[in-house]
Amino acid sequence: MKRFVLLMSVSLLAMTITGVAFGRTFVTIGTGGVTGVYYPTGGAISRMVNQKYSEYKIKATVESTAGSVYNINAVLGGDLEFGVAQSDRQFQAYSGIAEWAGSGPQKDLRSVFSIHPEAITLIATKQSTIKSVMDLQGKRVNIGNPGSGQLQNSKDVLAAFAISLDKLHAEQVKAVEAPGLLQDEKIDAFFYTVGHPNGNIKEATSGRIKVNIIPVKGKGVDKLLQRYPYYAHATIPIKFYPNAGNRENVESIGVKATFVCSTKLDEKIVYAVTKEVFENLEEFKKLHPAYSVLTRENMLQGLSAPMHRGALRYFRETGFIRHIDPKLMP
Ligand code: GLU
């Protein structure tokens, strides 16, 4: 018995140090709140990989996290193997700006591929009378939790309208809690940078309190688009939210979800994950409606950290390498 316990603890130790036990490799994918699109995205990627367990002996699991910034830091710190992160956050981490201004450029960050588009989504109750970003002044607004992608996007949008944070009652709670707070009349509006459709905005628009999706547009926003390479025009299709107060598609700006890891991650693991997602893209796309626009070519755009060598090996073998920005290759 003692010997068994000893053996077990030695194997557990080996497992925690290397992520490998009994010939199996465990990988964890950092996502976001359970009502967003990152969480099902982690699920979809792990499903593609776990399907080939007999070949790769990789067991992928998903963790709900605070979002992009948390995921980037966790993959760099070795707490997670992979993470989903906004393209703007990937750019900032690799360049050592925004949350990384103090720690400097995160040169170990690697791109694997990009995924669905995400729109800066601003939701407000009808009774708040908020019709544009300008009207957020004096209101209770959730700008995003620390560790999330949206925290910086909300700040950028407010700055584009010359609204300083002290002009509103800014909350910083997780996106998963925001629809409840809105319906309980505890906040008037919230920002969420997210793919569509998603459960969060469905929940926010389906309650007792009438809710509108507010456009993020105007001169200030045009300047944002010129100033930052990672922002692009985005449209939120209103058909996804039949209970929202407004009935027109909503104009905004957005970024892309990307899949990242550390340069330290084993080449074989990254190769296997890349290969399974790319070879089974049609099956993958059926797992969430936000993936409907994905093509193998556009999944190689929107990246700023260099490609991981495991992903590059697959893209070289298949010729997809020609769609990759040469700056991303070592
Ligand atoms: N874009 C959000 C973030 O980076 C997460 C969105 C989602 O979970 O789908 O924190």
Side-chain angles (χ1 to χ4, degrees), residues 11-275:
S11 331
L12 281 176
L13 189 70
M15 183 168 111
T16 44
I17 291 172
T18 61
V20 179
F22 310 111
R24 253 179 260 161
T25 303
F26 293 90
V27 304
T28 307
I29 303 171
T31 60
V34 293
T35 54
V37 183
Y38 285 10
Y39 190 72
T41 294
I45 296 172
S46 44
R47 185 182 156 143
M48 303 322 312
V49 175
N50 292 338
Q51 243 162 224
K52 289 286 180 66
Y53 177 75
S54 57
E55 191 178 331
Y56 302 121
K57 298 284 181 292
I58 297 176
K59 179 89 188 75
T61 52
V62 171
E63 200 175 296
S64 168
T65 73
S68 288
V69 173
Y70 176 93
N71 295 341
I72 289 174
N73 291 334
V75 300
L76 292 170
D79 296 326
L80 293 171
E81 279 68 38
F82 291 102
V84 189
Q86 290 176 199
S87 48
D88 52 332
R89 304 316 233 144
Q90 188 189 125
F91 177 92
Q92 292 160 350
Y94 196 71
S95 335
I97 53 176
E99 272 89 337
W100 297 274
S103 49
Q106 303 299 305
K107 293 292 181 198
D108 280 351
L109 188 63
R110 289 294 174 271
S111 298
V112 186
F113 47 76
S114 66
I115 328 171
H116 58 278
E118 301 187 84
I120 300 181
T121 308
L122 176 59
I123 302 290
T125 61
K126 198 171 172 219
Q127 66 203 30
S128 71
T129 70
I130 295 166
K131 291 203 169 58
S132 95
V133 175
M134 225 38 209
D135 304 329
L136 292 175
Q137 293 178 90
K139 297 293 197 305
R140 301 163 301 170
V141 185
N142 185 34
I143 59 170
N145 56 297
S148 72
Q150 54 268 10
L151 183 56
Q152 187 62 43
N153 302 136
S154 328
K155 288 180 181 171
D156 287 348
V157 169
L158 290 167
F161 284 80
I163 302 174
S164 60
L165 277 185
D166 55 15
K167 296 244 186 61
L168 38 98
H169 305 280
E171 303 286 346
Q172 297 196 7
V173 302
K174 286 189 172 177
V176 74
E177 293 167 37
L181 291 172
L182 199 72
Q183 286 295 332
D184 288 345
E185 301 175 58
K186 300 253 167 57
I187 56 173
D188 303 300
F190 71 86
F191 282 98
Y192 191 17
T193 305
V194 66
H196 294 281
N198 63 75
N200 186 290
I201 306 301
K202 277 189 189 152
E203 184 188 341
T205 50
S206 308
R208 176 179 60 91
I209 303 276
K210 262 286 174 221
V211 161
N212 293 322
I213 309 177
I214 310 298
V216 176
K217 62 174 185 191
K219 276 211 191 82
V221 174
D222 294 341
K223 281 206 192 112
L224 271 190
L225 288 166
Q226 280 163 13
R227 181 157 170 211
Y228 298 111
Y230 40 74
Y231 284 133
H233 286 286
T235 303
I236 303 164
I238 203 71
K239 65 166 193 247
F240 290 140
Y241 306 107
N243 299 315
N246 45 326
R247 297 303 335 132
E248 311 262 286
N249 288 346
V250 183
E251 249 184 79
S252 184
I253 56 171
V255 292
K256 257 179 134 185
T258 72
F259 201 51
V260 299
C261 64
S262 157
T263 186
K264 297 198 183 91
L265 189 59
D266 190 323
E267 176 176 332
K268 288 198 285 295
I269 300 176
V270 184
Y271 176 85
V273 172
T274 310
K275 179 170 176 176

